[in-house]
Each structure stands twice: as C-alpha cells, then as structure tokens.
Amino acid sequence: MSRLLDVSEAAATMARRWRAAWADALVSEHLSHEPWVVEVALRPGERSGADHLRVPAERRRTWHDQWRDLERTAPSGVSVIRAPVPLQGVLTPLPALLRVEGTQALDAFLGSHGGKDDSALDAARARRLLLDLTERGGSANASALRSLVGLDDDDARVALDAVAWLAEHPDLSEHTPRSLPIPGAHAKWVDQHARRLLLLTGRDVLTETMHRPPVAHLTYVDPGYLATGGRRHDAWTAGDCHTLPYEPRVVLVVENRDCRLRLPPFDEAVVVEGGGRAAATLIAEIPWVRSAEKVVYWGDIDADGFAILDSLRAALREASPTAGSAHDVVSLLMDAVALERYRSLGVARDRRGRLLRPSSTPLRELTGAESAAYSQIATSGPADVRRIEQERIPIEDVVDALVRCVARPDDETAVH
C-alpha cells in the first residue's frame, strides 16, 4: 500500500540525510562547483494506481493540495517531480519526488518547513570555515571540515591561523610542539590539537618537530651514599649519558612525587618517579633498572595504579637489546590484603566530587591477589572504595613492606 509523505515528513527525511552528509555535501560543492542534489520519494511503497486509490480520499486530497501549494511557492532549487500513474484508466501526473539542488536551497527549505531544530548545523558558518580553510592552504575534506566546525569561534580562528602559519613554514625541525609561534595559540595548543592539524593540513606536526626525550626523576636513598653529602635528587633522560653514584640493588618505582621525596634512607636503593603508563617503556629501557636485584612498584590502589603496574610488568618481562635481560616486577601494598587494611583511607569520588568510574579493562599481568583487589575497586557494581592514594599510607608501613620484599624470594610478586 502507498504511503503518502506530506511536506513536513519529506523535510524530516531530508534533514536526516543532511545531518549525516553535510560535510561531504559542502566539500563536494566547494570542489566541483556543482550543486549537491538530494531527492525524497513521496509515494514510497506504491506499485500501481490501485495502491494509490487505496489511500482514503480525504488523505489524497490533502496530500495533493500540499504539494500543489509547494510547487507554486517553492524557492529556487526546490522542485516537485511528477510521474504519470494510471488512475481508473487515465494517466495522471502525481508528485513522485521532492528534489532539492544545492545545500543553500536545502538549508532554506528545511528552515521554512520544520526540518531544523535548535541543534541544527549553521551551514553558512560551515561554508565560511571551509572557504577560509582552503584559502589558507588547508585540506578540503569532510573530516577536516567536521573537526573545524566542532570548535567555537575563538578556537576555530586559532586553528585557521595555525593552518596558515604551517603553510608558510615547511620545516619545523628547530621547534618543539610548544615552541611553535602560532598566533593566538598557547604553549600546549599544538599537543592538544595535533590530530586536528593532521586533518586540516595533512601534516603530523608532532613527528615534524624536535623530539622531547622522556625524563625519569629519581631520588638516592642509600644511607652510605647520603653520608658523603652527594646530591640526593637526580634525573635520567632517555638517550643521554648517565652514571649513577652507586649501582642500586633495589629500584622502587612510585607514581607520586611526595612518595619519592618522603622515602627515608634505604640500603642500596633508588626511588624512581614513574609518571603513568607512558613511563613504563622509559623505565624498561634503563640498564640499571634491569640489573637491579629487585624492581618494586608501589602505586595507588585504583584502576590506574593497577594498569600502570600491568604495563610496567609487561615491559620489563621482555628482554631489551639495549638495556638488558627480562626482569620481574614486585608490587608493594597493592593486593586484596592491603585494600582491606587501608580501606578507611579510600575514596569513591575524585577531587572535583565526581564519582570515580569503574573499569572493564582486562589486566593480564596481575597476580591473583592483585586481581582480587583490582576487581573490587574497578567493579561495575557499587563500590564504597575506588581509590586509595599511595601518599596516604603511613611511610613506616611502606618501609616495613619494602624490607620484607627485599628479603623474599624472587618468585614472589606481591608484598602486603
């Protein structure tokens, strides 16, 4: 049976297509200088004149009148295509398609026939941005346009200035991402918008600029060395030449700077500030880490802390051609026993008061006791504790656990 679309239904159908294809449509018009065309069938499902006549007569009259009125008042670019249909032995031209040629005509049609809502695209702004983008040497493609339109006016202006600046500067090798003198851009803007710049210009700015080598901050805690009055705090930079004042037997990796600075003297140990999952690769490439007798990780009891432990353990379990053989990682105060012991120090909200979210990320490098704690704090069900920050744990408990850790066999991978 025929379904007769009225003007508002046809407008709604066109609006859905426009929302899905607007960027491709605008880019196509811009590059080809030909109008983008969209058509909607006005009698879907109709196979014969008999199908049409099955629609109630009053409904057919209203439908015919609507489309006749639109034909008389349609703006340029909007037309109703009729096709002959045999009705009781007479070929009768009936509205068959609504055809709109050009995105400006479509925008006007939708604006006057209920096809727009408060969140509708500002097509005129999108056209201006596309024109500005190409005039400044950017890439005219749908992904770039969507990325640009998603910015507010101030950020869009900075992005376009960045496109123009990059077009004039093909060599970025003397700059870091933060030193690029792009008008209106703050120091971290390029880092935050690198993917957007790749879409807008086709250039991967982060690979074109000067590499900033990763740095691991560390603290010497061996009492014999400290008695010499040597420096207590140091930094290890990837690719540089380093000689430590002593070869550590124990390397303790922590995430929190307070914890690195607070650890009291400990024989033949060095404390390294990890800096998150990204630091796992850096730490795994330090030769004196791999040559240490014990590598210990102590982080927050939360989803991120266990993910960092998982990454560090995976990185060190693979031998490195430059840093040395594979090495295991022992966790400190990061299992189910520690979770229960320090539960009173735990929280379920972040520093802004928002509930901490669960995590469904599988962590395959955790031990059974670590996995038990991870499951409790990362569960998708209710949890009264989702984070116990490491700096809240008494430092004397940490030292006691570290002493037990050093005294234990190498095959024990968790200390509580």
Side-chain angles (χ1 to χ4, degrees):
M1 181 176 177
S2 176
R3 174 172 171 256
L4 305 182
L5 266 62
D6 60 26
V7 174
S8 63
E9 290 173 321
T13 299
M14 284 195 166
R16 287 193 296 271
R17 294 183 185 176
W18 173 238
R19 283 193 292 271
W22 65 267
D24 295 280
L26 292 176
V27 170
S28 173
E29 285 189 340
H30 178 79
L31 295 177
S32 70
H33 304 289
E34 295 291 334
W36 184 68
V37 178
V38 59
E39 295 178 338
V40 173
L42 304 181
R43 294 182 278 114
E46 184 174 295
R47 297 178 179 275
S48 65
D51 285 342
H52 188 75
L53 293 174
R54 291 190 184 96
V55 177
E58 184 61 30
R59 168 63 177 149
R60 281 187 279 125
R61 279 193 296 272
T62 302
W63 180 79
H64 280 280
D65 291 343
Q66 271 199 1
W67 289 110
R68 191 176 296 112
D69 290 343
L70 182 68
E71 286 176 305
R72 288 197 298 266
T73 61
S76 175
V78 179
S79 58
V80 178
I81 310 299
R82 290 178 174 266
V85 176
L87 298 178
Q88 298 175 335
V90 178
L91 282 177
T92 306
L94 299 180
L97 294 172
L98 173 64
R99 179 184 176 90
V100 179
E101 300 180 54
T103 58
Q104 288 183 307
L106 178 60
D107 198 40
F109 172 75
L110 295 179
S112 58
H113 290 88
K116 285 188 173 184
D117 55 33
D118 292 340
S119 63
L121 170 77
D122 184 344
R125 176 178 182 264
R127 289 188 193 92
R128 289 195 302 271
L129 290 174
L130 178 59
L131 181 61
D132 286 346
L133 175 63
T134 53
E135 286 181 344
R136 295 175 188 229
S139 304
N141 62 77
S143 296
L145 181 57
R146 280 192 291 268
S147 176
L148 195 56
V149 167
L151 298 172
D152 62 28
D153 288 343
D154 289 339
D155 272 337
R157 176 185 52 78
V158 175
L160 290 169
D161 286 345
V163 170
W165 190 90
L166 288 170
E168 296 172 358
H169 296 82
D171 183 6
L172 307 181
S173 60
E174 297 300 316
H175 289 279
T176 67
R178 294 192 180 194
S179 73
L180 294 173
I182 295 171
H186 55 74
K188 297 181 181 178
W189 191 91
V190 171
D191 285 312
Q192 295 170 350
H193 295 270
R195 175 167 172 74
R196 179 171 280 113
L197 288 175
L198 179 61
L199 293 174
L200 297 177
T201 66
R203 295 174 64 179
D204 187 346
V205 175
L206 296 185
T207 63
E208 292 184 36
T209 47
M210 188 185 302
H211 177 60
R212 294 174 63 193
V215 177
H217 296 278
L218 54 102
T219 296
Y220 303 117
V221 291
D222 177 71
Y225 165 73
L226 295 178
T228 69
R231 67 182 300 167
R232 177 169 169 78
H233 308 295
D234 210 338
W236 191 92
T237 305
D240 205 353
C241 297
H242 302 80
T243 301
L244 268 61
Y246 61 90
E247 192 77 9
R249 184 167 66 97
V250 179
V251 173
L252 174 62
V253 181
V254 301
E255 287 307 307
N256 185 281
R257 182 168 301 177
D258 293 353
C259 296
R260 172 171 66 84
L261 299 176
R262 287 176 60 216
L263 197 82
F266 197 96
D267 288 343
E268 301 177 271
V270 167
V271 186
V272 179
E273 186 179 327
R277 270 176 279 187
T281 302
L282 168 63
I283 293 172
E285 291 303 310
I286 300 177
W288 48 262
V289 171
R290 288 184 179 265
S291 64
E293 181 180 311
K294 290 276 187 179
V295 178
V296 184
Y297 177 76
W298 170 43
D300 293 339
I301 302 176
D302 69 354
D304 287 339
F306 283 110
I308 295 167
L309 170 61
D310 185 82
S311 297
L312 181 61
R313 190 172 277 159
L316 277 169
R317 280 183 173 170
E318 295 292 331
S320 167
T322 57
S325 59
H327 206 302
D328 208 346
V329 176
V330 182
S331 71
L332 197 73
L333 301 177
M334 292 187 68
D335 60 8
V337 174
L339 173 60
E340 290 306 314
R341 181 186 302 167
Y342 302 110
R343 182 176 289 275
S344 63
L345 302 177
V347 296
R349 295 179 181 271
D350 65 14
R351 57 192 175 92
R352 294 186 177 89
R354 299 172 300 195
L355 285 171
L356 292 166
R357 296 182 177 181
S359 173
S360 59
T361 304
L363 302 179
R364 295 180 173 83
E365 298 291 340
L366 301 186
T367 66
E370 293 162 352
S371 293
Y374 175 64
S375 297
Q376 289 186 54
I377 57 96
T379 177
S380 60
D384 60 328
V385 170
R386 290 203 185 273
R387 173 174 296 155
I388 300 175
E389 294 165 303
Q390 63 176 150
E391 61 267 37
R392 304 200 64 199
I393 295 176
I395 198 67
E396 56 270 21
D397 290 3
V398 179
V399 174
D400 288 345
L402 190 57
V403 169
R404 295 195 305 274
C405 171
V406 172
R408 284 187 167 196
D410 291 340
D411 58 355
E412 295 196 30
T413 54
V415 179
H416 49 257

